[in-house]
Amino acid sequence: PLPVIPDTEPTAVEKQIAGHVLPHIHDGSCIQLGVGGVPAAIGTMISHSDLKDLGVHTEMYVDAFRKMTEAGKINGARKNIDRYKQVMSFALGSKELYDFLDDNPGIIAYPVEYTNNVETIAKLDNFISVNACIEVDLFGQVCSESIGTVHYGGTGGQLDFVNGAYLSRGGQSFICMTSTYSGKDGTVSRIRPILTPGAIVTDPRTSVHKIATEFGVANLK
């Protein structure tokens, strides 16, 4: 059976972060979203916005795209390539998402070698990449894979989309996170002088474009 992730309501702080990213998205933007509450919040907000003619080119297809499509915000009419098609590599989400994808002619699944190819991403004007991370340091290095030396997740396509979005004409990549988290010693900042010793650098400082927290967006470029 397919893995099912229920479509849950984003938290208040996730909605705050999404609210800072939303003004950077314009009519005709082509969007990539990662998993998590912030992408879900962005999908909900776009569904209730005046945005139109959005496109999709993503590695992972999530419920946020379904909501935006059902609200009439996505049609791919302004995509430079794969016009009118939502491009993905795989899907992960709710039962409603899988039912939506089943035999849907508006969506096409490509190998990851195509969806995550930096040159392919860069061909799409006004590309918006939205992903999450664990921590960032004051050099601008982003860790999305480990908590110190403790493995948390894989590299995935995050760096591909960070680089591809920046090379896109009008493109932007956003790494989203809450500014703090609750640890055993109290409130801990995710913005650190240096990454936690042993942390894996997912996105080098030379690639990172914009960091978004509940307090706003910082352009590290």
Side-chain angles (χ1 to χ4, degrees):
L2 292 168
V4 174
I5 298 178
D7 184 20
T8 56
E9 180 70 17
T11 65
V13 70
E14 288 168 342
K15 290 178 180 177
Q16 280 183 287
I17 299 169
H20 292 304
V21 174
L22 191 65
H24 296 267
I25 304 174
H26 307 292
D27 290 349
S29 292
C30 188
I31 301 175
Q32 175 263 329
L33 298 176
V35 72
V38 173
I42 287 174
T44 300
M45 288 180 175
I46 289 177
S47 298
H48 294 94
S49 74
D50 294 328
L51 288 169
K52 61 184 179 183
D53 295 338
L54 300 177
V56 174
H57 183 100
T58 188
E59 178 182 24
M60 179 168 60
Y61 198 93
V62 293
D63 275 282
F65 292 122
R66 171 182 63 83
K67 290 181 178 179
M68 290 186 284
T69 305
E70 291 173 342
K73 306 303 177 181
I74 293 173
N75 60 23
R78 303 192 196 182
K79 291 179 72 176
N80 306 79
I81 56 175
D82 300 311
R83 189 161 291 179
Y84 305 116
K85 294 288 186 181
Q86 297 188 51
V87 170
M88 68 167 193
S89 185
F90 69 95
L92 188 64
S94 67
K95 174 66 164 54
E96 290 79 10
L97 176 68
Y98 300 138
D99 291 341
F100 171 79
L101 290 171
D102 185 34
D103 204 25
N104 189 329
I107 299 167
I108 186 167
Y110 279 118
V112 72
E113 290 86 354
Y114 180 81
T115 60
N116 292 29
N117 185 288
V118 173
E119 292 182 1
T120 302
I121 298 164
K123 290 177 182 177
L124 294 154
D125 293 347
N126 301 306
F127 198 96
I128 302 291
S129 170
V130 181
N131 290 286
C133 78
I134 294 170
E135 62 180 14
V136 60
D137 69 14
L138 295 182
F139 295 106
Q141 300 180 115
V142 169
C143 171
S144 306
E145 300 173 57
S146 69
I147 302 171
T149 58
V150 179
H151 176 78
Y152 181 80
T155 303
Q158 184 170 122
L159 182 57
D160 299 324
F161 285 98
V162 166
N163 287 327
Y166 187 70
L167 292 172
S168 155
R169 186 173 66 175
Q172 305 167 80
S173 76
F174 296 87
I175 301 295
C176 302
M177 64 178 185
T178 57
S179 62
T180 62
Y181 69 92
S182 297
K184 61 182 179 180
D185 298 320
T187 301
V188 181
S189 177
R190 295 186 187 274
I191 305 168
R192 308 177 64 82
I194 61 172
L195 294 179
T196 302
I200 296 169
V201 178
T202 307
D203 307 317
R205 64 190 181 91
T206 49
S207 293
V208 176
H209 191 188
K210 296 182 178 181
I211 300 287
T213 73
E214 68 271 31
F215 294 106
V217 174
N219 186 347
L220 300 194
K221 285 285 189 180

